[in-house]
Amino acid sequence: MPDANKNYVGGEWTTTETGETLDVVNPADPSEVVARYQQSGSEDATEAVEAAAEAADEWAATPGPERGTVLREAAKILDDKKDELTDQLVAEEGKARGEAAGEVQRAIDIFYYFAQKASDLGGTRKQASGPDTDLYTIQEPVGVAALITPWNYPIAIPAWKLAPALATGNAVVLKPASVAPGPAVALAEALDEAGLPDGVLNVVTGPGSSVANTFVEADEVDAVSFTGSSQVGEMVYDQATDHGKRAQMEMGGKNPTVVASSADPEEAADIVASGGFGTTGQSCTACSRAIVHEDVYDEFVDALVDEAESIEIGPGNEADMGPQVSESEVEGTLEYIDIAENEGATLATGGGVPDDLGDGFYVEPTVFTDVERDYRIAQEEVFGPVVAVIKVSDYEEALDVANDVDYGLSSSIVTDDHTEAKSFIDDSEAGVVKVNDKTTGLELHVPFGGFKRSSSETWREQGDAGIDFYTISKTVYDNY
């Protein structure tokens, strides 16, 4: 059995007060325990918060370029370990190797990006109403930030929260998801090697009910950033704001791709398949609804079925699409497949578990047709490789169907009509809107976030928006 990885608290690698550990299994072969981590409790979380609070002032006073140097060195260390980190991500989360390598590279790029941004931090200078007065603003760190991250992007999402928090001078406590915590621990290892001062970053593994709750409620914590399901995120938001914290929640999605009458059906099917079946459908921005004009509906369905059936399923190091991350995720996906069939949707392909891949957590790429807009398969987040195809008679109906959900994270349209494209950009109720592109995939230097139940609609992530969340403005009147 593997040795247990330790928590990172106050610059030391520590074991939990509970004395308990948690096992992480290979989603492609659940009989294989690939890693073991600390099953921490509230006492461990409290120690992490105290360490962060003690380190916060000194790190905040460190010049931005010096903070950037630490981030840049960490990026180099991650780059040197890219293959090792990719192997770890495949083993713990199950992603196909190409997707895992791309995610690791994204984390590296994020650290390089915010290393440079640390040197650019500043405020604005304004003209005062009277003479002999300097009037300007200063950006200061909020203090201690608590980061709660999910398993589906186990290195990229911790990186895009952690890098701007550190770049702007905050101390951090981080709780990664218990299903795949290893890549987040690897970020701590890189930062420790890069010379990050003790206590500035603290990583504690374990359940949300003890670790995350302690983080969110601690008096020393000033800001909370969460990514995960809407149900959990809404509870975390209420808990954080009730305790006076700055709060940023990015949550679920029910993301549509509208296929217009002018679209090429095969091109549209390729876009939808990439967005819907990439990362095994385990992305908050995954396309789960294809809203298709009746003129191209039949051709699109045939092409999408072909795309789904051409995907090779298997272990991440060998196939196009890997397993889902856990047995409970597979059960949830299969439950929605049963619900869709019972509601009256037609199973065009997939819908089952491959019978030649052992006990791995696999689900076939699945396409449903004859889906009505009010079916649960068209309204609720599935988080698996399932696409519901909805037929519409015109663009106005397509837009109405696209917006007729409780979520608003990502959306796209496939069209050759520029007027439709402009209308969709203006009227789509989503925080990310794309034209002739898949719903997944994000640039790291522009804001990311959703509308409605996809987000707290308070602060965006990434780029300058990430800087904004982790800083607070001070206005200075210097009457010299």
Side-chain angles (χ1 to χ4, degrees):
M1 295 291 258
D3 294 333
N5 292 275
K6 296 181 179 181
N7 291 332
Y8 183 64
V9 177
E12 301 290 335
W13 294 97
T14 65
T15 55
T16 177
E17 295 287 341
T18 68
E20 299 178 358
T21 59
L22 59 92
D23 289 343
V24 173
V25 302
N26 180 356
D29 180 7
S31 66
E32 178 189 1
V33 176
V34 296
R36 177 168 290 155
Y37 296 92
Q38 301 297 312
Q39 179 83 328
S40 307
S42 58
E43 289 184 8
D44 304 293
T46 297
E47 289 180 8
V49 170
E50 291 172 349
E54 185 175 342
D57 287 347
E58 184 175 349
W59 183 242
T62 301
E66 187 176 335
R67 297 195 298 261
T69 297
V70 174
L71 293 181
R72 190 173 297 106
E73 182 61 27
K76 292 177 183 177
I77 293 166
L78 294 171
D79 204 2
D80 289 341
K81 296 180 178 179
K82 182 176 178 181
D83 288 344
E84 177 186 334
L85 293 169
T86 299
D87 289 340
Q88 181 183 41
L89 205 159
V90 171
E92 291 195 12
E93 200 269 351
K95 267 192 179 75
R97 186 171 186 82
E99 295 172 339
E103 182 181 341
V104 172
Q105 185 60 54
R106 182 178 181 83
I108 295 166
D109 292 344
I110 287 168
F111 269 73
Y112 276 125
Y113 174 80
F114 283 105
Q116 182 59 46
K117 296 295 286 186
S119 297
D120 294 336
L121 295 173
T124 59
R125 183 171 294 276
K126 301 291 185 180
Q127 288 293 312
S129 299
D132 300 330
T133 299
D134 280 342
L135 180 61
Y136 58 94
T137 64
I138 299 171
Q139 283 180 285
E140 295 188 345
V142 295
V144 175
L147 314 181
I148 304 167
T149 60
W151 51 260
N152 60 323
Y153 286 92
I155 194 166
I157 292 179
W160 84 44
K161 294 180 186 292
L162 179 57
L166 295 178
T168 51
N170 296 277
V172 172
V173 290
L174 167 63
K175 193 208 89 68
S178 296
V179 177
V185 174
L187 292 179
E189 292 172 347
L191 285 159
D192 181 65
E193 186 178 343
L196 187 72
D198 295 349
V200 174
L201 170 62
N202 306 272
V203 179
V204 180
T205 57
S209 57
S210 55
V211 177
N213 280 350
T214 300
F215 285 173
V216 174
E217 294 183 358
D219 290 340
E220 298 91 338
V221 168
D222 302 287
V224 177
S225 180
F226 167 93
T227 298
S229 72
S230 297
Q231 291 84 354
V232 175
E234 287 162 358
M235 291 188 291
V236 172
Y237 181 79
D238 289 343
Q239 184 183 18
T241 54
D242 284 349
H243 285 80
K245 320 289 187 192
R246 178 179 292 205
Q248 172 193 71
M249 310 287 125
E250 293 304 333
M251 301 176 282
K254 193 64 183 172
N255 311 294
T257 294
V258 170
V259 181
S261 60
S262 62
D264 178 274
E266 292 189 359
E267 178 188 359
D270 178 68
I271 288 171
V272 169
S274 181
F277 304 133
T279 65
T280 319
Q282 297 177 133
S283 173
C284 55
T285 56
C287 175
S288 61
R289 294 181 295 149
I291 303 167
V292 185
H293 193 283
E294 60 189 8
D295 289 352
V296 295
Y297 181 86
D298 291 339
E299 291 177 80
F300 171 84
V301 168
D302 290 343
L304 183 60
V305 167
D306 288 345
E307 291 277 355
E309 293 178 348
S310 72
I311 295 172
E312 181 185 2
I313 313 168
N317 281 320
E318 304 171 11
D320 302 327
M321 189 181 91
Q324 294 203 251
V325 75
S326 67
E327 184 176 11
S328 64
E329 290 297 324
V330 171
E331 291 173 349
T333 299
L334 294 176
E335 181 180 358
Y336 270 108
I337 289 170
D338 288 341
I339 289 169
E341 290 188 283
N342 290 333
E343 285 182 314
T346 299
L347 181 63
T349 192
V353 175
D355 56 12
D356 58 345
L357 291 173
D359 295 326
F361 302 136
Y362 296 101
V363 176
E364 296 168 329
T366 299
V367 177
F368 278 103
T369 60
D370 303 313
V371 176
E372 298 294 333
R373 64 194 291 174
D374 60 346
Y375 286 2
R376 289 181 63 186
I377 199 73
Q379 291 288 324
E380 300 174 14
E381 187 175 39
V382 178
F383 227 66
V386 180
V387 175
V389 186
I390 304 169
K391 183 190 292 187
V392 293
S393 60
D394 55 33
Y395 167 75
E396 287 72 23
E397 183 184 3
L399 179 66
D400 186 48
V401 172
N403 289 336
D404 187 24
V405 291
D406 290 336
Y407 301 95
L409 187 53
S410 182
S411 67
S412 73
I413 185 170
V414 185
T415 181
D416 283 340
D417 186 327
H418 189 252
T419 300
E420 283 183 343
K422 284 291 293 176
S423 170
F424 191 76
I425 291 168
D426 291 340
D427 297 328
S428 176
E429 295 173 356
V432 175
V433 182
K434 298 187 174 186
V435 177
N436 296 329
D437 199 0
K438 61 185 179 180
T439 57
T440 53
L442 303 166
E443 297 278 3
L444 62 85
H445 59 293
V446 291
F448 170 67
F451 297 163
K452 297 187 279 191
R453 289 192 71 199
S454 292
S455 172
S456 55
E457 298 186 344
T458 48
W459 307 85
R460 294 309 199 204
E461 297 194 278
Q462 304 195 110
D464 289 338
I467 297 291
D468 291 342
F469 176 68
Y470 294 106
T471 58
I472 190 165
S473 292
K474 176 183 289 183
T475 303
V476 178
Y477 297 77
D478 183 358
N479 295 295
Y480 58 83

